[in-house]
Amino acid sequence: YTVIPPSGTFRELKKNLNHIIDDLNCGILHLLPINPTPTVYARMGRYGSAYASLDFTAIDPALAEFDRKATPLDQFLELVDAVHRKNAKIFLDIATNHTGWAAKIHETHPEWLVRENDGTIHSPGAWGVIWGDLTELNHQRMDLWEYIADMFLVWCSRGVDGFRCDAGYMIPEKAWEFITAKVRQQYPSAIFLLV
């Protein structure tokens, strides 16, 4: 069951859980990245890339309804609770290899960005295509591993059961061993899918 942008809100999705889980017999609801992404600066294409995260633990407010009693995080948690009440799991898609331009990490940890010899921030790519709307993170740095593990712990504490780690194959195996071990100390059933 797939929804292509514009995909609506968490509450609209929650209304479809009977169909997704009961009628289609899906046991996992897998969401594309739900983080804020560029809206103007370095936004590529009509909708931009959901994989150009500006903040790995924040939620894009466009995915929530305006409600004075419920923040975007509250509305995400409503969805998580509804999925779990149906004995299903919720997975998030998170691209831990890179961020979008002007991401929070650019301000807080510019040393984590891969740079070219001239100081230009490096954009990752694959199969001969450069993803110009993304900035690559330097996963040789163990302090970045710690940050990424803590980010996954935040999502686990919010009830997320598993993660599809986009471009996970670009991150060193030792980094994944560290990250998953730290997360599984607190959440032993957390699932990581590296693609």
Side-chain angles (χ1 to χ4, degrees):
Y1 186 82
T2 304
V3 180
I4 304 292
S7 57
T9 66
F10 297 128
R11 287 181 171 168
E12 288 174 0
L13 181 56
K14 193 169 86 167
K15 292 175 188 174
N16 288 298
L17 291 182
N18 287 340
H19 176 63
I20 296 167
I21 296 171
D22 300 334
D23 298 342
L24 298 178
N25 203 27
C26 294
I28 297 171
L29 179 66
H30 168 200
L31 301 179
L32 290 175
I34 63 172
N35 311 118
T37 58
T39 56
V40 179
Y41 180 77
R43 178 179 177 157
M44 305 278 178
R46 182 175 179 186
Y47 298 111
S49 170
Y51 296 91
S53 174
L54 297 179
D55 185 338
F56 284 128
T57 60
I59 293 175
D60 185 346
L63 299 173
E65 298 174 2
F66 178 70
D67 182 340
R68 292 182 187 274
K69 295 182 180 178
T71 66
L73 174 58
D74 294 331
Q75 293 178 46
F76 172 72
L77 295 175
E78 290 172 6
L79 176 63
V80 171
D81 290 344
V83 168
H84 288 161
R85 278 194 301 273
K86 295 186 120 342
N87 294 315
K89 296 185 182 307
I90 188 160
F91 280 28
L92 282 186
D93 210 325
I94 298 180
T96 54
N97 179 61
H98 48 261
T99 69
W101 286 94
K104 183 177 177 181
I105 284 177
H106 291 207
E107 292 180 30
T108 59
H109 293 284
E111 71 277 11
W112 289 349
L113 299 171
V114 174
R115 294 185 183 264
E116 305 293 349
N117 290 336
D118 66 358
T120 304
I121 298 171
H122 178 77
S123 291
W127 311 290
V129 177
I130 300 299
W131 304 325
D133 56 340
L134 306 177
T135 64
E136 188 166 358
L137 296 173
N138 182 356
H139 284 280
Q140 301 304 314
R141 298 189 58 109
M142 291 189 69
D143 51 347
L144 176 60
W145 302 357
E146 193 78 42
Y147 173 88
I148 296 293
D150 288 344
M151 176 270 299
F152 282 121
L153 286 169
V154 167
W155 287 110
C156 288
S157 75
R158 294 171 175 173
V160 175
D161 302 293
F163 306 93
R164 177 192 176 271
C165 303
D166 187 74
Y169 67 93
M170 295 181 163
I171 297 171
E173 186 176 336
K174 287 184 188 243
W176 281 120
E177 289 171 356
F178 175 88
I179 291 165
T180 57
K182 183 171 181 186
V183 171
R184 288 187 174 139
Q185 284 176 351
Q186 293 181 48
Y187 296 93
S189 62
I191 297 169
F192 291 86
L193 306 173
L194 306 183
V195 293

